Amino acid sequence: MARRVNTWRWPVLGLAALYFLVPLAASVVFTVDVPGRGVTFDAYRRIVSTEGFTSSLLLSLELALATIAVVLLLMVPAVVALRLGAPRLRPVVEVVCSLPLVVPPIAFVAGISTVLKWGPEHLSRTPLFQTFVAVQDPDFPFVLVLAYVVMALPFVYRALDAGLRAIDVRTLVEAARSCGAAWPQALLRAVLPNLRGALLNASFLTLALVLGEFTVAQLLGFTPFAVWIYSIGGSQAQLSVAVSVLSLLVTWALLLTLAGFGGRTKTASRG
């Protein structure tokens, strides 16, 4: 059985590599091969100077950081409390956190836009009107953060749940409590250091989701990085593909960095 697995491993890995690398190579060739001019890297040189690149990228990074902070502040205490105090509710929480994978993004956006339109119309004389206006500020649309938090729940929950399964949370908390630590201190000083890998995985998955999300931002009328790439695709196709290739390479670099950091963390903890 082991020999059969080893025999099929490399062909499967080779096909997977071709599946990912051939489209990437074709995209790179499209961006550098200009008819009549030969090979040129002008598309990559124009990226930084193109209007909207810096503002859209900064907006996406700000949204990603805010989403990571909100979803971790929400999920870490909830998952720890679930494992310590109510393990029977775990299937219910798992189903609830998986719902964003079932609900289509179009339906999700339709619900958000309906609520945002309903508030100012019927409650214009209440503070809720100002709240709806504030969360739709184009400079920092917090409504996208709320939407991304919901969309990131399945990935964050899975990452944190896998990290908690690898450690004895109850023993860590009881040991911290027996030393006089309060519940917040036990969580910060005993549990979180042992969840560093899970927190990094959850943060990276959320970052990748926010940087690549298009449907919600487009339909709500905002222009983060993914929407900006789409908007320039009609008039500057080579530039759009060049930005996509560059963003994909940056995402891979972050993934490799995360994997290396996680490996060093495991080695240090064993030592």
Side-chain angles (χ1 to χ4, degrees), residues 2-266:
R3 291 181 179 178
R4 291 180 180 178
V5 172
N6 292 330
T7 302
W8 284 99
R9 178 185 301 173
W10 293 112
V12 171
L13 290 177
L15 291 175
L18 290 176
Y19 180 79
F20 286 104
L21 294 179
V22 170
L24 180 62
S27 300
V28 173
V29 171
F30 175 76
T31 58
V32 301
D33 187 12
V34 179
R37 297 176 55 187
V39 178
T40 177
F41 294 92
D42 289 342
Y44 293 94
R45 296 191 187 99
R46 300 200 316 269
I47 290 177
V48 179
S49 60
T50 303
E51 182 181 0
F53 170 78
T54 304
S55 59
S56 63
L57 180 59
L58 290 178
L59 177 59
S60 291
L61 292 177
E62 291 173 357
L63 292 172
L65 292 177
T67 304
I68 291 171
V70 173
V71 74
L72 290 182
L73 288 174
L74 176 67
M75 290 302 298
V76 171
V79 175
V80 173
L82 182 68
R83 181 165 291 272
L84 292 177
R88 293 183 178 180
L89 293 178
R90 183 175 175 274
V92 178
V93 176
E94 185 174 353
V95 171
V96 172
C97 291
S98 301
L99 285 178
L101 297 176
V102 180
V103 179
I106 300 296
F108 184 49
V109 177
I112 294 176
S113 59
T114 301
V115 172
L116 293 177
K117 293 178 181 179
W118 167 81
E121 180 180 353
H122 298 282
L123 302 171
S124 58
R125 297 182 180 180
T126 66
L128 187 61
F129 172 77
Q130 297 297 331
T131 302
F132 280 128
V133 173
V135 298
Q136 299 180 74
D137 185 2
D139 294 332
F140 186 77
F142 192 75
V143 64
L144 288 183
V145 175
L146 299 177
Y148 293 157
V149 166
V150 175
M151 297 173 66
L153 283 179
F155 313 106
V156 174
Y157 174 78
R158 292 292 183 182
L160 295 179
D161 185 64
L164 287 173
R165 287 185 178 184
I167 61 176
D168 191 351
V169 183
R170 188 175 300 276
T171 301
L172 289 173
V173 173
E174 290 178 354
R177 293 284 291 167
S178 64
C179 294
W183 281 105
Q185 291 177 332
L187 180 62
L188 292 175
R189 298 184 179 181
V191 178
L192 290 186
N194 292 279
L195 286 178
R196 185 177 302 176
L199 293 174
L200 288 174
N201 290 334
S203 300
F204 177 79
L205 291 173
T206 305
L207 175 65
L209 183 147
V210 174
L211 291 180
E213 201 286 320
F214 170 80
T215 304
V216 175
Q218 170 72 9
L219 294 180
L220 290 180
F222 302 108
T223 313
F225 192 56
V227 178
W228 177 80
I229 294 177
Y230 172 79
S231 64
I232 66 172
S235 58
Q236 304 181 59
Q238 281 189 321
L239 180 63
S240 175
V241 176
V243 174
S244 300
V245 171
L246 184 61
S247 62
L248 181 61
L249 294 178
V250 171
T251 303
W252 283 0
L254 289 174
L255 178 60
L256 293 176
T257 302
L258 177 63
F261 184 78
R264 289 197 297 271
T265 301
K266 292 179 179 179

